[in-house]
Amino acid sequence: MRIRQIHERDRPDWVRLRNALWPGSLSDHEAETRKHFENGSVALIVFVAEVEARIVGFLEMDFRPYAPACASSPVPFVEGWYVDPDWQRRGIGRALIEAAEARARAAGYTEIASDAELDNGDGIAAHRAVGFEEVERVVCFRRSLT
């Protein structure tokens, strides 16, 4: 297994994995990943997990001005984290998190944050397994004004 920063040639795999994590938005994933490379985005950091010359996982880390229970600002934030189901439970997700943490530490950050949907039991368990502590639960509301 090799964890490394993404290259443009990895974009089709990144789109495939993003669509597995966030289904139903393939055209958005196509556009967002293309824009990432066209603009030379320096804010979003993307790591991929490569096994046997195949991309089997990814992690996207961005920086938010605030994250619940964090004392610093900005905060490195895991925006997306996914490993193909056939490759889960082999340490790949942990290795992706460790790469993000190492990058954040090297840049002088002292904490990292992430989130998971309330009904995403696997995601919550994965976060706990790599050492994240739960700090808050939230239910979001919307009301139409029309």
Side-chain angles (χ1 to χ4, degrees):
M1 167 188 38
R2 180 176 167 222
I3 305 297
R4 60 174 172 78
Q5 277 201 246
I6 197 165
H7 300 296
E8 190 164 4
R9 69 179 177 269
D10 304 320
R11 197 176 75 74
D13 287 311
W14 186 22
V15 169
R16 173 182 58 82
L17 293 167
R18 281 178 122 231
N19 197 57
L21 177 60
W22 300 302
S25 301
L26 188 58
S27 61
D28 290 342
H29 300 313
E30 282 284 348
E32 290 168 9
T33 59
R34 186 175 298 108
K35 183 178 174 184
H36 173 78
F37 289 108
E38 287 173 355
N39 294 344
S41 174
V42 293
L44 183 68
I45 298 166
V46 182
F47 293 99
V48 293
E50 185 176 21
V51 179
E52 300 169 2
R54 181 168 179 223
I55 303 300
V56 300
F58 80 97
L59 182 145
E60 296 178 11
M61 181 174 70
D62 207 343
F63 300 86
R64 291 188 179 185
Y66 167 81
C70 289
S72 61
S73 179
V75 180
F77 198 93
V78 177
E79 299 289 353
W81 176 38
Y82 184 81
V83 176
D84 270 330
D86 291 345
W87 291 94
Q88 292 175 4
R89 294 183 173 24
R90 300 180 190 206
I92 295 169
R94 179 179 299 277
L96 285 163
I97 290 290
E98 288 171 352
E101 290 174 342
R103 178 70 174 265
R105 258 191 231 95
Y109 294 97
T110 58
E111 55 192 345
I112 189 168
S114 186
D115 61 15
E117 297 287 330
L118 286 172
D119 63 350
N120 183 355
D122 290 342
I124 292 168
H127 280 83
R128 287 183 176 145
V130 298
F132 279 91
E133 63 179 303
E134 184 175 323
V135 297
E136 181 177 287
R137 288 199 173 221
V138 65
V139 176
C140 299
F141 297 93
R142 177 195 176 277
R143 180 178 168 144
S144 176
L145 297 177
T146 58

